[in-house]
Amino acid sequence: MKKPVLTIVVPCYNEEEVFLETARQLTNVLEDLQSEHLIAAESKLLFVDDGSQDRTWELIVGESEKNPFVTGVKLSRNFGHQRALLAGLEAAKEYSDCVISIDADLQDDVSVIREFIVKYWEGFDIVYGVRRSRETDTFFKRATAQGFYRFMRKIGIHLVYNHADFRLMSKRALDELSRYGEANVFLRGIVPLLGFRSTKVFYDRKERFAGESKYPLKKMLAFAFDGMTSFSVAPIRFITLIGFLSFFLSSIAGAYALIVKLLGRTELGWTSIMISIWLIGGLLLMSVGLIGEYIGKIYQEVKRRPRFAIEENLYALRMKTRQKERVNV
Ligand code: UDP
Ligand code: MG
């Protein structure tokens, strides 16, 4: 087999505090892999600036002038982690045989990248990085994340347990991914649907190197909810079930009320009416809201809006000039 061209895609949102260290560590990884003849010389680090407000983009440009491995893509505004990652994967796959995605904050162990590549050589198209322990996460984050995986599995969405977006994908897996045109990108849900030969590599997750999490609770909840409603209609089915159940219960209650009336004991009333009005009202509002959520999703999908916009692409620029140079020589 020919040595594969590897591109490591790193989405960055306000990561000026960690960027230089991340670039340094990943450069070392690429250098080591090259000296072991595991990857081709054209392998690259592709940093995707997701509309940062700090100096992240300047740092990427500066580094790309000094470090031949480093290149970058700048999105026109903040599109969110998943779309930034997607933009990077799409940009990278044209010039690569395999692509690894990793967060900028060095929480994922960069030394297992070598194992990813070894698995690629063994013929795997998708390699999932899986966290062995979550000791460095706060108790709250750990509990919510684990609850999330369990719940998703219950409603029929098969995610790889304790896998975030640290993974290797081959070019053909990425080509397949590009055919999934949904606006609600939830890569962790889509990638297992692609099929292909896949495997897992285990590692220990570390603390964020510096800076703070770009996923506050609000974003995390939105992410979980999006993941759920863009992959499963189980919640809607659940509501239908509740509807049937409450219909059944209210017919029993109705029969009871009728019997009581026929027996001439009609002074009961206020409590039961109040309770049922509130209960039914609540159920209805909840149902309408949830169905509305799905309609909202459909609305977003039918618009077919582009999922990200690239403002500057150092990567394509560099690859194109290199191709021209080759033609001229
Ligand atoms: N990120 C991004 N766009 C965003 C939010 C986050 O590109 O709108 C990037 C961020 O720079 C990091 C990765 O996504 O590389 C994961 O974010 P973070 O480490 O803050 O999340 P956590 O590890 O706390 O879940
Ligand atoms: Mg992180």
Side-chain angles (χ1 to χ4, degrees):
M1 198 163 95
K2 204 174 110 284
K3 280 188 282 183
V5 178
L6 165 70
T7 304
I8 301 184
V9 172
V10 193
C12 305
Y13 177 55
N14 294 343
E15 298 286 10
E16 61 180 9
E17 284 160 283
V18 298
F19 171 75
L20 288 175
E21 180 60 20
T22 307
R24 191 185 66 77
Q25 292 199 15
L26 289 174
T27 301
N28 286 345
V29 171
L30 286 188
E31 277 170 352
D32 290 349
L33 288 172
Q34 272 185 6
S35 60
E36 284 188 79
H37 302 288
L38 284 170
I39 58 171
E42 301 92 298
S43 298
K44 289 266 170 313
L45 300 175
L46 175 60
F47 291 91
V48 182
D49 174 37
D50 186 17
S52 301
Q53 284 110 35
D54 65 0
R55 291 177 50 247
T56 303
W57 180 245
E58 283 90 272
L59 291 177
I60 295 173
V61 173
E63 190 66 16
S64 76
E65 281 154 10
K66 283 179 276 173
N67 180 340
F69 286 111
V70 171
T71 113
V73 164
K74 182 184 195 312
L75 300 188
S76 58
R77 62 169 167 86
N78 179 248
F79 283 87
H81 177 211
Q82 296 290 296
R83 289 172 174 214
L85 190 53
L86 188 73
L89 296 177
E90 296 272 305
K93 91 180 161 89
E94 268 189 68
Y95 308 101
S96 325
D97 299 306
C98 56
V99 177
I100 290 175
S101 47
I102 187 171
D103 286 352
D105 56 9
L106 297 172
Q107 278 190 288
D108 305 309
D109 187 356
V110 298
S111 65
V112 302
I113 289 178
R114 188 178 175 283
E115 279 178 65
F116 281 20
I117 296 295
V118 171
K119 293 287 180 198
Y120 177 79
W121 277 93
E122 287 171 13
F124 288 100
D125 282 277
I126 300 174
V127 186
Y128 298 102
V130 176
R131 270 167 265 172
R132 201 178 287 130
S133 66
R134 278 178 167 264
E135 265 143 39
T136 54
D137 277 349
T138 59
F139 170 75
F140 180 70
K141 181 135 192 171
R142 200 166 27 177
T144 47
Q146 269 168 8
F148 174 62
Y149 286 107
R150 293 228 176 88
F151 178 71
M152 294 292 264
R153 183 147 300 215
K154 276 250 161 63
I155 63 172
I157 304 170
H158 290 274
L159 300 178
V160 177
Y161 194 65
N162 268 348
H163 158 71
D165 284 303
F166 184 29
R167 74 175 84 80
L168 175 144
M169 292 176 78
S170 69
K171 182 169 165 53
R172 65 177 179 184
L174 286 169
D175 282 337
E176 214 43 53
L177 177 70
S178 318
R179 307 205 308 157
Y180 284 64
E182 54 223 81
N184 297 289
V185 202
F186 183 61
L187 288 169
R188 277 174 236 183
I190 302 174
V191 176
L193 293 179
L194 299 176
F196 294 108
R197 276 190 77 195
S198 59
T199 184
K200 295 174 193 164
V201 165
F202 292 87
Y203 68 98
D204 292 312
R205 183 140 160 118
K206 292 182 269 191
E207 298 269 15
R208 211 174 209 289
F209 174 73
E212 54 197 44
S213 175
K214 271 68 188 177
Y215 265 103
L217 181 63
K218 202 173 130 218
K219 260 197 192 173
M220 225 161 73
L221 288 178
F223 183 63
F225 199 64
D226 263 357
M228 187 176 84
T229 48
S230 44
F231 272 85
S232 166
V233 288
I236 283 193
R237 226 165 267 156
F238 176 66
I239 289 234
T240 319
L241 191 79
I242 291 187
F244 273 111
L245 218 72
S246 77
F247 176 72
F248 178 69
L249 289 180
S250 58
S251 32
I252 294 180
Y256 169 74
L258 216 67
I259 292 170
V260 170
K261 190 174 164 59
L262 289 180
L263 292 179
R265 285 190 276 145
T266 40
E267 64 272 30
L268 20 75
W270 193 78
T271 326
S272 56
I273 288 179
M274 284 317 268
I275 290 179
S276 47
I277 286 177
W278 283 99
L279 188 76
I280 304 282
L283 282 179
L284 282 178
L285 278 183
M286 186 172 90
S287 320
V288 171
L290 191 71
I291 291 168
E293 182 69 26
Y294 279 89
I295 294 178
K297 284 262 149 72
I298 297 170
Y299 177 62
Q300 280 170 11
E301 297 294 349
V302 294
K303 274 190 293 195
R304 298 249 135 246
R305 280 199 182 151
R307 295 178 287 180
F308 52 82
I310 289 175
E311 189 174 310
E312 277 178 68
N313 190 337
L314 303 178
Y315 185 59
L317 211 67
R318 162 138 23 132
M319 292 318 234
K320 276 187 200 128
T321 40
R322 178 172 315 160
Q323 277 166 358
K324 257 189 225 141
E325 279 161 15
R326 275 213 196 115
V327 173
N328 293 341
V329 170

